[in-house]
C-alpha cells in the first residue's frame, strides 16, 4: 500500500476515536463529580459557605477525577470504535485490501501513547497543585463553625456557654421574634434573664455578629456573690449586639507543608533522597552507639558521634528533573527587573579591612660575651593521677554501668521511619508513571477484545470496561498498600496490574493476527465460553494427573 494511503488510514482511525474519547471522558468525569457532590454538598451547605467557595471545592476536585477517568475513557473509546468498525464490515474491507490487524492497531497505540504523555504531565504538574489548594481550602472550611440558625420552641446556644435564646415564634422572612427569653451568662459574677414580647434580629454583612432589637420586656439580674441582691429593669426598646455568632471563613495564604500527593515527581525524589540520607545517618549512629558501649566495656574511650555524616545533595535526581530545571532556568524570574538596581543607587560597600597582623615570635635573647647561653626550662607537667587505694571495693552504692539500656533502639526507630517515608514517596512516584501508562495498556487490551467479539455492541463496551476498571484499580490500591508496608518493592507494587493487562493484550493481539483466527463476529456466547475457559484453566492442569491416578 502506498504511503499516502497509509497516512490516510491512520488519520481516519485516529479521527474516529476523538469524539468517543471526549464523550467518555466528559461522561465519566461528570458521573464521579456528581458522586463527590452528593457526598460533600450537605456538609458544605451546613457550614454556611458562600456559593463561590462551594464551587471552588468541586472545581479543585476535577483534576483528581480526570487523572482517574482518562485511562478509563481510552478503553471505552477503543472498544466502541473497533466494535462499530467491525459491525459495519469496515475491518473486513480493510483486511481485504491487504491491511493487517497489526497495521490497524498501530496508529491507535500511537495515539494512546500521546494521551499517556498528556496524562503524565497532568498527574505531575496540575494534580499536585490542585490537591494542595484543595487540602488548604478543606482545612479552612473545617475550622469554620456552622452558620448560626435559630429554631422555635428550643433554647438555642448562640454563643457557646455564654448566650442562650428561646423564641416561641420565628418569622424567617421578616426576621421577627415572638415571646423572647434570653439567658446571658457571659458575666461570671452576674446572671441575667431578659424577656421581651417581640423582637427583630439582623446580621452584619459577613454574618459574624447578631443585632437584636427587643420590645416591651424586662431584665432580671442576680448577683451570684450576694443572692439577696436582685435587680429588675423594665424597657420599651432594648438594642443588643452579640459578637461572634457566625465564624467567617479565613483563607490561608501560605502553607508550605505538602503531603506525597501534593508533590511533583521532582519534589518527591528530593524528599525520598532526604529520607534515604536520614535512614543512613540513623543506621550509622546506631552502630556507633553500640560500638561505644563495647569500647566502654573493654575499657577504651568512646568515639564522638559526628552529626551529618551524609552530605546533602542539592542536585535534582533523575534526567526528567534535570531537564525541568534547565527549562525553568531559561524562563526569566517574575521580579528580575525589580531586583536589579542601578549602580549609582547601590550602597557603597565598605573598604576591605586588612586582617590584624599576627604577633611575631620574639627572638631569643642573645647572651653577652663571656656568659653561658640561657638554659631552656620546659613547662611543669601535670602531676600523675594517684594510684588507687587499697580500700574496700564495695564502697560505691551503684555499680558502674558499661552497657546502656535499650542502646540503638531510638536510632533503629528513626531508620525504620525514614525508610517508610522513602518508600511512600517512591510508591507515589511509580503510581504516577503507572496510571499514565495505563492509557497505552488499556488501548492494547481493548483493540483485540473488540476485534474478537465484534457483535458485543454496547454491552461489551460497558461490561468489559467495568470489569477492567474494577480489577485494575483494586490491584492498584492493593499494590499501594503492600508497597507502603514494605512488603513489595514500589515498582512491582504499582506496575503489576499494568504488566498483567499488558501481557493479556499482547496475547490477544497475537491470537487475532494468527492465520485462521481472524475476526469472525463473536457475540456474548463466545465471551462466556472464553470466561469459562479461563476459570477452568487451573483445574485443567491437574485433571490429567488425577485421571491417571484413578
Amino acid at each position: 500500500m502506498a504511503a499516502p494511503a497509509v497516512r490516510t488510514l491512520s488519520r481516519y482511525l485516529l479521527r474516529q476515536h476523538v469524539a468517543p474519547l471526549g464523550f467518555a471522558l466528559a461522561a465519566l468525569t461528570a458521573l464521579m463529580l456528581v458522586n463527590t457532590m452528593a457526598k460533600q454538598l450537605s456538609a458544605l451547605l451546613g457550614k454556611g459557605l458562600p456559593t463561590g467557595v462551594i464551587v471552588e471545592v468541586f472545581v479543585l476536585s476535577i483534576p483528581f477525577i480526570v487523572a482517574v477517568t482518562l485511562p478509563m475513557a481510552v478503553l471505552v473509546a477503543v472498544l466502541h470504535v473497533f466494535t462499530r468498525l467491525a459491525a459495519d464490515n469496515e475491518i473486513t474491507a480493510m483486511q481485504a485490501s491487504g491491511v493487517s490487524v497489526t497495521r490497524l492497531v498501530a496508529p491507535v497505540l500511537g495515539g494512546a501513547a500521546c494521551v499517556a504523555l498528556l496524562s503524565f504531565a497532568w498527574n505531575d504538574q496540575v494534580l499536585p497543585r490542585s490537591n494542595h489548594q484543595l487540602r488548604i481550602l478543606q482545612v479552612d472550611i473545617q475550622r469554620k463553625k456552622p452558620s448560626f440558625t435559630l429554631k422555635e420552641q428550643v433554647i438555642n446556644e448562640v454563643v457557646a456557654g455564654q448566650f442562650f435564646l428561646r423564641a416561641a415564634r420565628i418569622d424567617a422572612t421578616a426576621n421577627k421574634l415572638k415571646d423572647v427569653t434570653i439567658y446571658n451568662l457571659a458575666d461570671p459574677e452576674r446572671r441575667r434573664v431578659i424577656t421581651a414580647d417581640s423582637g427583630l434580629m439582623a446580621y452584619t454583612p459577613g454574618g459574624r455578629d447578631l443585632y437584636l432589637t427587643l420590645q416591651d420586656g424586662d431584665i432580671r439580674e442576680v448577683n451570684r456573690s450576694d443572692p439577696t441582691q436582685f435587680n429588675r429593669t423594665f424597657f420599651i426598646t432594648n438594642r443588643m449586639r452579640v459578637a461572634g455568632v457566625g465564624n467567617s471563613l479565613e483563607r490561608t495564604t501560605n502553607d508550605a507543608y505538602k503531603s506525597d500527593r501534593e508533590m511533583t515527581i521532582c519534589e518527591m525524589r528530593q524528599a525520598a533522597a532526604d529520607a534515604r540520607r536520614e535512614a543512613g545517618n540513623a543506621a550509622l549512629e546506631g552502630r556507633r552507639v553500640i560500638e561505644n558501649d563495647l569500647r566502654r566495656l573493654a575499657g577504651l574511650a568512646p568515639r564522638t558521634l559526628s552529626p551529618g555524616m551524609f552530605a546533602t545533595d542539592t542536585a535534582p535526581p533523575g534526567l526528567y528533573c534535570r531537564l525541568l530545571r534547565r527549562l525553568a532556568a531559561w524562563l526569566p524570574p517574575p521580579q528580575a527587573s525589580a531586583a536589579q538596581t542601578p549602580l549609582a543607587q547601590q550602597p557603597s560597600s565598605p573598604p576591605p579591612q586588612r586582617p590584624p597582623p599576627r604577633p611575631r615570635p620574639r627572638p631569643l635573647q642573645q647572651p653577652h660575651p663571656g656568659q653561658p647561653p640561657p638554659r631552656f626550662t620546659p613547662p611543669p607537667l601535670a602531676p600523675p593521677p594517684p594510684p588507687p587505694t587499697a580500700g574496700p571495693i564495695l564502697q560505691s552504692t551503684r555499680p558502674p554501668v558499661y552497657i546502656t539500656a535499650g542502646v540503638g533502639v531510638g536510632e533503629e526507630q528513626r531508620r525504620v521511619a525514614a525508610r517508610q517515608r522513602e518508600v511512600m514517596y517512591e510508591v507515589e512516584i511509580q503510581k504516577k508513571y503507572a496510571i499514565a501508562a495505563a492509557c497505552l495498556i488499556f488501548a492494547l487490551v481493548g483493540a483485540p477484545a473488540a476485534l474478537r467479539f465484534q457483535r458485543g455492541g454496547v454491552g461489551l463496551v460497558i461490561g468489559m470496561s467495568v470489569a477492567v476498571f474494577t480489577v485494575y484499580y483494586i490491584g492498584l490500591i492493593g499494590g499501594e498498600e503492600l508497597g507502603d508496608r514494605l512488603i513489595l518493592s514500589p515498582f512491582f507494587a504499582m506496575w503489576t496490574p499494568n504488566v498483567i493487562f499488558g501481557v493479556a493484550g499482547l496475547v490477544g493481539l497475537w491470537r487475532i493476527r494468527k492465520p485462521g483466527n481472524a475476526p469472525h463476529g463473536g457475540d456474548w456466547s463466545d465471551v462466556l465460553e472464553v470466561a469459562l475457559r479461563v476459570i477452568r484453566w487451573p483445574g485443567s492442569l491437574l485433571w490429567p494427573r488425577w485421571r491417571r491416578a484413578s
Side-chain angles (χ1 to χ4, degrees), residues 291-319:
E291 180 184 356
N292 285 339
D293 270 11
L294 295 177
R295 291 176 63 87
R296 193 179 297 110
L297 182 63
L300 301 176
R303 294 180 179 177
T304 58
L305 298 177
S306 57
M309 283 152 281
F310 292 91
T312 304
D313 187 10
T314 58
L319 179 62

Side-chain angles (χ1 to χ4, degrees), residues 132-184:
H132 184 62
Q133 297 297 328
L134 180 60
R135 182 189 62 82
I136 294 175
L137 181 57
Q138 288 177 343
V139 171
D140 294 340
I141 291 174
Q142 290 176 359
R143 287 200 299 259
K144 184 181 184 301
K145 298 178 182 178
S147 58
F148 172 67
T149 55
L150 292 178
K151 298 179 181 180
E152 296 180 350
Q153 303 290 339
V154 175
I155 298 178
N156 301 273
E157 187 177 16
V158 180
V159 179
Q162 297 182 5
F163 197 92
F164 300 86
L165 185 146
R166 180 189 179 276
R169 294 288 181 269
I170 299 177
D171 186 358
T173 58
N175 290 331
K176 292 183 178 181
L177 307 175
K178 188 66 176 177
D179 192 6
V180 183
T181 303
I182 295 175
Y183 304 93
N184 190 350

Side-chain angles (χ1 to χ4, degrees), residues 388-456:
T389 59
I393 300 178
L394 299 177
Q395 289 181 356
S396 172
T397 58
R398 297 179 58 185
V401 179
Y402 295 102
I403 302 297
T404 305
V407 59
V409 175
E411 288 76 10
E412 180 64 18
Q413 292 178 351
R414 282 178 48 206
R415 188 194 65 82
V416 172
R419 175 60 180 163
Q420 289 178 346
R421 290 200 309 272
E422 177 193 355
V423 170
M424 179 185 64
Y425 292 126
E426 292 292 343
V427 167
E428 191 67 23
I429 291 172
Q430 296 300 329
K431 186 169 70 172
K432 288 182 182 293
Y433 287 122
I435 292 179
C439 298
L440 180 60
I441 299 298
F442 284 175
L444 184 61
V445 171
L451 292 176
R452 176 63 179 82
F453 309 103
Q454 300 176 3
R455 291 181 295 176

Side-chain angles (χ1 to χ4, degrees), residues 41 44-45 48-59 137 141:
L41 187 59
L44 295 176
L45 291 177
L49 298 171
T51 306
V53 175
I54 298 177
V55 173
E56 185 180 358
V57 171
F58 295 124
V59 169
L137 181 57
I141 291 174

